[in-house]
Amino acid sequence: EIVLTQSPGTLSLSPGERATLSCRASQSLSSSNLAWYQHKRGQAPRLLVYGASNKATGIPDRFTGSGSGTDFTLTISRLEPEDFAVYYCLQSGSSPYSFGQGTKLEI
Amino acid sequence: EVQLVESGGGLVQPGGSLRLSCAASGFTFSAYAMRWIRQAPGKGLEWVSAISDSGSSTYYADSVKGRFTISRDNSKNTLYLQLNSLRAEDTAVYYCARVYWGTYRYLDYWGQGTLVTVSS
């Protein structure tokens, strides 16, 4: 089973700042099967990035995914108030699928 | 517009049962594999169960194997999760999600979730 470890657990920043979120896999995985989600309380998780670096439809340009092998990164270039949420990475290349434990982005 | 709407959650005693439903619309349901994912209070997302597009293949997390059963009715565009022998640790919001399976593989649409509370 592939274990995904996200860091940091909590990231405290202000609007306008840059956020860098990390997702590290316990073994190398295909970039095609790494995705990032934004989750706000009471809402469905929202797909941000798939295939490690491809933005989903309607996702603002300030969100950028990168990485390969075991190290993946989600960067939010200039934080907007609506970006404060919990972010998860997901690997879907190896059963069982697995999520990282999440990074809480707080003001 | 793709929509996934879960229902069937509620309060149940330990050892009890529930059946969750996920009504799909806006796409050809029978062409997509589906997943159930849950989030316990204060915890992260946890994959629970998976089913192929035809329903012929199913998979379970070790934590629910032997207690939960995933199924689907493609004629009704509905995904199900039967929850038996429920435990306090099964308390969570349960989400259904669609699998995009092509050059890339990921969960592209999710429902809003249904809350299951296991308590006496």
Side-chain angles (χ1 to χ4, degrees):
Chain A
E1 178 179 341
I2 296 178
V3 176
L4 299 181
T5 302
Q6 290 186 241
S7 60
T10 302
L11 188 55
S12 300
L13 293 170
S14 300
E17 292 191 297
R18 178 186 185 92
T20 302
L21 288 65
S22 173
C23 175
R24 178 163 291 177
S26 59
Q27 56 187 275
S28 183
L29 56 91
S30 169
S31 299
S32 298
N33 303 319
L34 192 287
W36 288 93
Y37 296 85
Q38 178 191 69
H39 193 200
K40 296 180 179 180
R41 185 182 299 275
Q43 297 184 17
R46 178 192 185 195
L47 174 67
L48 299 174
V49 169
Y50 63 91
S53 61
N54 300 277
K55 267 189 279 285
T57 303
I59 301 304
D61 288 343
R62 63 182 182 273
F63 289 91
T64 302
S66 63
S68 63
T70 60
D71 290 300
F72 299 88
T73 301
L74 177 70
T75 303
I76 311 171
S77 58
R78 287 179 57 86
L79 286 165
E80 298 286 343
E82 62 267 27
D83 297 336
F84 292 91
V86 181
Y87 292 81
Y88 294 94
C89 54
L90 164 72
Q91 73 80 19
S92 48
S94 174
S95 290
Y97 289 7
S98 49
F99 293 91
Q101 80 276 23
T103 290
K104 182 180 181 181
L105 182 53
E106 64 177 26
I107 298 177
Chain B
E1 179 192 5
V2 172
Q3 284 198 320
L4 298 170
V5 179
E6 301 94 338
S7 61
L11 175 64
V12 61
Q13 292 188 339
S17 298
L18 278 177
R19 187 174 84 154
L20 308 183
S21 299
C22 169
S25 60
F27 66 102
T28 303
F29 181 67
S30 60
Y32 288 85
M34 299 293 293
R35 301 287 184 266
W36 285 100
I37 299 101
R38 68 185 179 183
Q39 183 177 35
K43 303 291 187 181
L45 298 172
E46 177 191 17
W47 171 81
V48 174
S49 185
I51 190 166
S52 61
D53 51 3
S54 66
S56 60
S57 298
T58 58
Y59 309 89
Y60 300 92
D62 288 344
S63 57
V64 307
K65 201 172 294 182
R67 301 187 299 119
F68 291 9
T69 303
I70 190 172
S71 62
R72 63 192 296 162
D73 185 335
N74 285 344
S75 68
K76 295 182 178 179
N77 293 338
T78 303
L79 173 73
Y80 302 100
L81 187 67
Q82 177 69 40
L83 288 63
N84 295 331
S85 303
L86 282 161
R87 306 166 180 167
E89 56 265 35
D90 296 318
T91 294
V93 176
Y94 285 74
Y95 299 95
C96 61
R98 188 180 85 165
V99 180
Y100 177 87
W101 197 310
T103 302
Y104 305 101
R105 194 183 309 174
Y106 51 92
L107 305 177
D108 59 354
Y109 288 94
W110 298 58
Q112 295 278 80
T114 187
L115 175 62
V116 172
T117 303
V118 183
S119 175
S120 54

